[in-house]
Amino acid sequence: MTSTKKIGRSAAGDMFINVIMVLICFLALYPVWYTIVISFNNSADSMRGGIYWWPREFSLESYKTVFQDKTIAQAFVVTILRTLLGTITSVLFTAMVGYAFSKKHIMFNKFYIIFGTITMFFGGGLIPYFITIKNLGLYDSFWVYIIPSLFNFYNMIIFMSFFRELPAGLEESAKLDGANDLLIFIKIVVPLSMPVMATIALFNGVAHWNDYFTGVMYINKATLQPIQTFLYRVVASASASKAVVAMPAGITAQQVSSQSVRLATMVVTTAPIMCVYPFLQKYFVKGMLIGSIKG
């Protein structure tokens, strides 16, 4: 009898937890779905309200307006280039530093670790950083997306923890064969480190794609702004329902408003990373666990 009651309570508890999780998922996903629905609805009809689950008057005019803007195509190119180049260079550079710090015989190893840990919690502030960027000649340059993000201390710690778990015998045997540290890193360490490489690459790729602040603060040229900065400026520059965007030929103000164009721009800019992210989510968990358990 007691066992039956416990099973019943456990089932009721599981049901309650499932209901709560479904509610949380709904609250997280519905704003995204609502944005997509409104972006595909006729702009004039959307102003009437009452649209919740599906477009009442399906229309692609907002997306036509977005894709006819050459600026957004240029912004996509900048974002793709910075994501690819920034991810590759950051992963390689951070991996090399992490490999060096994984060797305990490196001079002042502990000092550098402590010094780097402090920088994770304290910074010089935005104004000194802006002055540094400008003095280095990175202001209004594509390289402002790449060079400052070459190294991340948190990612270095993940690399360092992983490299310390690699068998020491592999490097010792390679050194007996005449290989130097660089050759060992390229030929042995990197191939064995593909799981952590993929994890850090995902960290960097998502960060580069979603970053809008760098383009806002350090880029003045419209041709160098990434897609997220473009989205930020579209949303910030429009004055809610009063502003009407410039209409391409054949599209009337009744078909497209500033609100519908902003929502369509949001969908276009976030769709690529939203499609990729669910398939790569497991690497985030794996990256947090790398180096936490030693075999």
Side-chain angles (χ1 to χ4, degrees):
M1 188 71 177
T2 304
S3 177
T4 304
K5 288 183 179 179
K6 288 183 178 179
I7 294 174
R9 290 176 181 175
S10 177
D14 291 343
M15 179 64 70
F16 177 76
I17 293 174
N18 289 332
V19 171
I20 296 298
M21 293 305 298
V22 169
L23 180 60
I24 292 175
C25 291
F26 173 78
L27 293 176
L29 294 176
Y30 181 73
V32 179
W33 175 250
Y34 181 77
T35 300
I36 296 173
V37 168
I38 297 299
S39 68
F40 278 105
N41 197 79
N42 180 274
S43 177
D45 180 69
S46 299
M47 301 301 293
R48 295 164 46 199
I51 302 174
Y52 303 105
W53 302 106
W54 199 256
R56 188 163 50 208
E57 293 185 15
F58 186 82
S59 174
L60 294 175
E61 300 301 333
S62 297
Y63 287 92
K64 290 180 181 178
T65 304
V66 171
F67 284 110
Q68 285 177 6
D69 189 346
K70 295 181 180 180
T71 307
I72 193 171
Q74 179 67 29
F76 260 116
V77 172
V78 172
T79 300
I80 293 172
L81 286 177
R82 71 166 290 191
T83 301
L84 293 177
L85 185 59
T87 300
I88 294 172
T89 54
S90 179
V91 169
L92 291 178
F93 186 82
T94 306
M96 287 190 289
V97 177
Y99 179 67
F101 277 111
S102 67
K103 308 303 177 185
K104 295 183 179 180
H105 64 271
I106 297 296
M107 187 178 296
F108 305 122
N109 188 300
K110 291 184 179 179
F111 169 77
Y112 291 133
I113 295 296
I114 295 173
F115 188 79
T117 303
I118 293 175
T119 63
M120 295 176 61
F121 302 98
F122 302 98
L126 181 60
I127 295 177
Y129 187 75
F130 180 88
I131 294 173
T132 301
I133 292 294
K134 197 160 187 179
N135 290 338
L136 290 174
L138 296 177
Y139 184 79
D140 245 358
S141 170
F142 176 79
W143 297 106
V144 75
Y145 300 127
I146 309 300
I147 295 178
S149 62
L150 276 177
F151 179 75
N152 182 280
F153 191 79
Y154 175 77
N155 293 342
M156 191 279 293
I157 292 176
I158 297 178
F159 272 122
M160 182 181 65
S161 301
F162 181 85
F163 293 149
R164 284 181 176 176
E165 296 179 8
L166 296 177
L170 291 175
E171 297 185 24
E172 292 175 359
S173 60
K175 288 183 178 180
L176 290 175
D177 292 334
N180 55 28
D181 289 330
L182 181 60
L183 191 61
I184 292 173
F185 176 76
I186 296 174
K187 296 290 186 179
I188 298 176
V189 176
V190 170
L192 293 175
S193 307
M194 293 313 296
V196 69
M197 291 279 187
T199 302
I200 303 302
L202 181 60
F203 288 166
N204 281 277
V206 173
H208 275 288
W209 185 274
N210 290 333
D211 176 43
Y212 77 94
F213 187 76
T214 303
V216 172
M217 289 299 300
Y218 311 114
I219 295 295
N220 193 36
K221 297 178 182 177
T223 56
L224 289 178
Q225 67 177 5
I227 193 66
Q228 297 300 340
T229 302
F230 175 82
L231 172 60
Y232 169 81
R233 287 176 174 167
V234 167
V235 174
S237 62
S239 58
S241 60
K242 294 182 180 180
V244 177
V245 297
M247 307 301 172
I251 301 178
T252 64
Q254 287 72 28
Q255 291 174 304
V256 179
S257 68
S258 61
Q259 180 185 14
S260 63
V261 171
R262 290 200 304 273
L263 295 178
T265 305
M266 290 181 187
V267 174
V268 170
T269 54
T270 57
I273 200 67
M274 286 179 62
C275 293
V276 173
Y277 188 86
F279 299 99
L280 302 177
Q281 171 66 26
K282 60 182 179 180
Y283 290 108
F284 276 90
V285 179
K286 188 173 183 179
M288 298 301 176
L289 296 177
I290 286 175
S292 61
I293 301 176
K294 293 187 177 181

